[in-house]
Amino acid sequence: MGRVENGDAEPPAAEMQQDDATTTSAPAHAHAPALQVIILGSGGGPLESNTTAFLVRALATGWQRSSMVAVDAGVHLAAISNILQQTQPQNMAQLKMPHILESGPFAGIEVHTASPAANAAHIARSLVDTYLITHPHLDHIAGFVVNTAGLPGGPRPKRLAGLPATIEAFKNHIFNNVIWPNLSDENDGAGLVTYTRLVDGGSPAVGEGDARGYLEIAEGIAVKACSISHGRPIESPPHRNSQSSTSGTPVRYSSFDASSMAAAPVHVQQQQLHHHFSPRSFHHPTATLPPTPGPRASFPIQQHSQHSQLPPASYNDPAHTASVYDSTAYFLRDVATGSEVLIFGDVEPDALSSCPRNLGIWQEAAPKIARRSLRALLIECSYDDGQASDRMFGHLKPSFIIDELRTLAGEVDVARASIELDARTAKKRKRGNSEAVSGLSRRRTGGSTGDPVSPKTVRSRLDEPPPGIETPHLATPTAELSLRDLDTPLDGELPTFAFDTRPLEGLKVVIVHVKDKLDGVDPGAKILGELLAHEEEARLGVEFIVSAPGQSIIV
């Protein structure tokens, strides 16, 4: 169904272990490869050199201009340069230019210089036009923001695409002439970045058939965005102001501007400090200190609100009302073949979420997996199973991933049953109509009277099935239909989906956003071992791959 390649001379230890332990093999009916996912960054911190970032392209488009999509960009230009540094020929300086690379994830691309950094800049400037951002946390956007320093002089603006809340975060908190210059084309910006606000769940006005809701954002690649939950803010309302040791959340105080005390007498300064940092004053947020000389004499402590960091338009959003941080799952589709890959942003399990939304993603994905058009999914696993469930901070660990995949497997079984039922019904209807027309033809040509048959007579006869032909709704009433009926072969014309096999056989599950505890233990290898142990019991049939920078995943 696909393959995994590494730009390094030797694959990472986690992947070598995966190759030895995984027994899943590609099915005989595998489709031709259609999509390539290049891992630029696979970690979730704390090392800033390896944070979440991917490149996706449709193989049919080759390496032409605007053929690649970046999904998140915690790292970007430096990561591309590092991969080229490791995979370009050692004697690159002696080779005739332009040169076509023969190895690594960028094999087949034409480069015009021996410099990895210059070649990386060419890829970022010319091949990558669109950046899909799952959510605006720094470990998913820092590379893109810093790399905008190289945008002036480029041929066209970069497209920053995401759900509206993500775009608003960039407008208000990144490209705001405070954190970073306003390089966007809104609010009188420089126009080097243009925003594309995606519709949650896909726009029904875009695309047709299976591609409905998918927006084409690069040559040969279309996307559908779906919102998911990334946990509660650390200072979410139920825990705010709590001093209970069971909550695990320490008391936090509001910001304090020491410069405002400059004009106050010493005894007044002492009163202000005591009042501001006193737990009693923290539990009375509307209290105001006595006035002191100067324009900055008073220190009101503002009442906090669960919506204090949300735009006004989001106040009535049920997800925000539940104080859940929004993230995004992207379905990326090869326009030519319909093959897809699913990439999750940071996500929490439905079992812990106050606003569970993963089930909707699995219901969207299940028919695609049943039809074998969705070939791989990238999903985070930040921690191993040793992480306490009340300290997940909106992330996943192996036991939760298996729980989510069990839910997906159930939805795939339902989708397969529906697909086969539709196929059986269509086959019976086609057979009935064919025999009805055949019988009518015999009556028209072999009748004893030889009288012509009027169109009205033909219509009435077609509306009634000939003797011996049962209509589908009479032959298999809905109330009596059982899954056993679906196991009946259909003359070998259509695939039969058996429910006693591994329901997710052939699906690649690529693990990303692994957090390193910096304790000398390979976190990816530990997580992979736990996943394989869970899989041995669950028997879902998935192939687990722990990602690493430089990997090329072909599906």
Side-chain angles (χ1 to χ4, degrees):
M1 184 181 69
R3 64 181 185 272
V4 179
E5 302 171 347
N6 284 276
D8 300 333
E10 295 183 1
E15 186 181 339
M16 289 192 291
Q17 180 180 349
Q18 177 264 329
D19 290 339
D20 294 337
T22 303
T23 58
T24 303
S25 59
H29 52 260
H31 298 271
L35 293 167
Q36 179 187 22
V37 180
I38 299 175
I39 308 295
L40 298 183
S42 62
L47 295 175
E48 72 276 13
S49 59
N50 181 25
T51 51
T52 307
F54 318 108
L55 295 176
V56 183
R57 73 181 181 101
L59 296 178
T61 63
W63 296 100
Q64 63 179 284
R65 182 181 294 271
S66 305
S67 61
M68 303 191 79
V69 175
V71 181
D72 282 341
V75 292
H76 190 64
L77 187 59
I80 298 174
S81 179
N82 289 339
I83 293 172
L84 291 173
Q85 179 73 47
Q86 297 170 7
T87 57
Q88 286 185 177
Q90 296 297 320
N91 62 338
M92 191 74 167
Q94 285 75 46
L95 298 178
K96 182 180 179 180
M97 296 296 162
H99 174 75
I100 296 178
L101 298 182
E102 298 178 353
S103 62
F106 296 103
I109 194 172
E110 183 179 270
V111 296
H112 297 264
T113 175
S115 167
N119 292 332
H122 166 70
I123 292 173
R125 288 174 179 170
S126 300
L127 274 65
V128 183
D129 263 2
T130 300
Y131 292 76
L132 292 172
I133 304 299
T134 61
H135 62 293
H137 279 171
L138 287 176
D139 59 328
H140 295 255
I141 68 171
F144 170 76
V145 174
V146 174
N147 293 164
T148 56
L151 293 182
R156 56 196 172 280
K158 295 297 184 184
R159 177 191 296 180
L160 185 67
L163 293 176
T166 297
I167 301 302
E168 288 304 305
F170 270 91
K171 284 186 59 177
N172 297 332
H173 305 297
I174 302 297
F175 295 131
N176 61 355
N177 289 322
V178 178
I179 299 299
W180 204 253
N182 181 13
L183 303 180
S184 76
D185 56 0
E186 299 184 13
N187 297 338
D188 299 322
L192 298 179
V193 175
T194 185
Y195 295 127
T196 297
R197 294 164 177 82
L198 302 176
V199 177
D200 191 353
S203 172
V206 177
E208 296 180 352
D210 292 340
R212 186 178 184 186
Y214 284 77
L215 176 68
E216 189 166 353
I217 54 168
E219 288 295 326
I221 296 181
V223 66
K224 178 186 288 187
C226 300
S227 61
I228 52 179
S229 298
H230 180 23
R232 307 164 71 104
I234 294 179
E235 293 186 329
S236 58
H239 299 295
R240 195 183 305 279
N241 300 345
S242 172
Q243 299 187 66
S244 170
S245 60
T246 59
S247 70
T249 304
V251 174
R252 297 179 183 269
Y253 302 98
S254 57
S255 300
F256 179 71
D257 184 6
S259 65
S260 62
M261 297 173 54
V266 174
H267 72 281
V268 175
Q269 295 179 20
Q270 292 174 344
Q271 292 176 0
Q272 293 171 347
L273 287 171
H274 175 77
H275 184 89
H276 183 83
F277 291 107
S278 168
R280 178 177 298 179
S281 68
F282 185 77
H283 289 290
H284 296 278
T286 57
T288 303
L289 295 178
T292 57
R296 302 180 184 178
S298 61
F299 293 81
I301 300 178
Q302 300 297 325
Q303 175 71 48
H304 291 281
S305 166
Q306 64 174 320
H307 302 301
S308 59
Q309 297 181 359
L310 299 174
S314 303
Y315 286 1
N316 295 325
D317 187 328
H320 289 152
T321 302
S323 297
V324 172
Y325 193 90
D326 284 339
S327 184
T328 314
Y330 287 118
F331 289 89
L332 289 135
R333 178 184 179 92
D334 174 48
V335 174
T337 65
S339 296
E340 297 190 33
V341 62
L342 170 59
I343 301 181
F344 280 83
D346 291 0
V347 61
E348 66 178 347
D350 274 357
L352 298 183
S353 180
S354 59
C355 182
R357 289 183 275 187
N358 294 340
L359 177 59
I361 305 299
W362 301 139
Q363 290 173 337
E364 175 81 16
K368 306 173 189 294
I369 295 174
R371 295 187 178 96
R372 306 181 183 99
S373 61
L374 177 58
R375 310 183 186 190
L377 64 89
L378 280 69
I379 190 168
E380 69 127 286
C381 187
S382 296
Y383 305 107
D384 59 54
D385 278 335
Q387 186 79 2
S389 295
D390 62 350
R391 294 181 64 84
M392 295 303 299
F393 307 112
H395 295 291
L396 294 174
K397 60 182 179 180
S399 58
F400 286 132
I401 285 185
I402 293 296
D403 287 344
E404 293 290 341
L405 291 178
R406 281 194 176 104
T407 301
L408 172 60
E411 296 299 328
V412 170
D413 277 343
V414 171
R416 283 178 174 151
S418 176
I419 290 171
E420 186 154 340
L421 178 59
D422 290 344
R424 289 171 60 87
T425 303
K427 183 177 177 67
K428 288 184 177 181
R429 184 180 297 113
K430 181 178 179 181
R431 181 184 301 166
N433 289 341
S434 175
E435 294 187 12
V437 173
S438 176
L440 176 61
S441 177
R442 287 194 298 270
R443 287 192 292 273
R444 291 182 63 181
T445 58
S448 58
T449 62
D451 295 333
V453 181
S454 70
K456 184 175 181 180
T457 305
V458 172
R459 188 178 302 109
S460 64
R461 290 178 179 175
L462 282 175
D463 291 340
E464 299 178 2
I469 299 298
E470 297 179 340
T471 60
H473 68 278
L474 293 177
T476 54
T478 303
E480 298 178 6
L481 181 65
S482 68
L483 295 180
R484 183 176 301 176
D485 297 330
L486 301 180
D487 292 334
T488 305
L490 299 177
D491 302 328
E493 296 182 11
L494 294 171
T496 299
F497 301 103
F499 296 101
D500 58 349
T501 61
R502 298 184 177 190
L504 302 180
E505 187 79 39
L507 178 68
K508 290 183 181 294
V509 176
V510 182
I511 301 302
V512 300
H513 202 270
V514 175
K515 292 182 178 292
D516 195 336
K517 295 181 180 179
L518 304 180
D519 56 1
V521 177
D522 184 347
K526 186 173 184 180
I527 286 173
L528 179 61
E530 293 174 347
L531 285 169
L532 293 176
H534 289 307
E535 163 63 13
E536 186 175 354
E537 177 184 354
R539 297 183 60 82
L540 299 174
V542 299
E543 177 186 357
F544 287 110
I545 300 168
V546 174
S547 62
Q551 275 181 340
S552 173
I553 300 170
I554 307 292
V555 294

